[in-house]
Amino acid sequence: MRFIVVFVVAACLAGCLTMQVPERFIVIERGPGLLKALTPEESRIWVRDFDDDTQASIAFWKDALKADLLKNRGYTLVKESPVQDGAGRQGMALTLEATLGGRPVRELMAVFVIPGFLSNTIRVAEFVTDKEAFDAEVAGVAQALTTLH
């Protein structure tokens, strides 16, 4: 039994996402390729991994996400900037704005490509909150992205 517990913990540590979330956030879910955190007011951080058998570049994924969000989902691009994760990988961050459920929200979406032998991993980190709370929390979230593994 002890071996099974050690094996499960080791497997999770090998595949579970880690990030030092900002002080007001708590991690509510963590697993292989997934991390969710939120504040008492429900500002959300959601990090997910996706397989990419095409092994497309960061430029492709940035452009694909931007096209989908702007053309198909009604977002407005506020800012685009480079970002780096805890492993030193360069990514792209998009700051977006939209009206969801009748209320204005802002979103910081960061995308990273983790190269693999037969398949890459696309890591997408999203921070979504009311437009009013965004400015107060975005610096801490941007700093947290630099600890993302």
Side-chain angles (χ1 to χ4, degrees), residues 20-36:
Q20 295 173 357
V21 297
E23 186 176 308
R24 292 186 22 80
F25 285 81
I26 62 164
V27 175
I28 59 167
E29 189 174 347
R30 182 180 316 219
L34 176 71
L35 183 138
K36 291 182 180 181

Side-chain angles (χ1 to χ4, degrees), residues 50-56 113-122:
F50 303 93
D51 288 331
D52 174 27
D53 295 338
T54 66
Q55 297 184 307
V113 174
I114 302 166
F117 181 65
L118 297 175
S119 175
N120 288 347
T121 299
I122 307 306

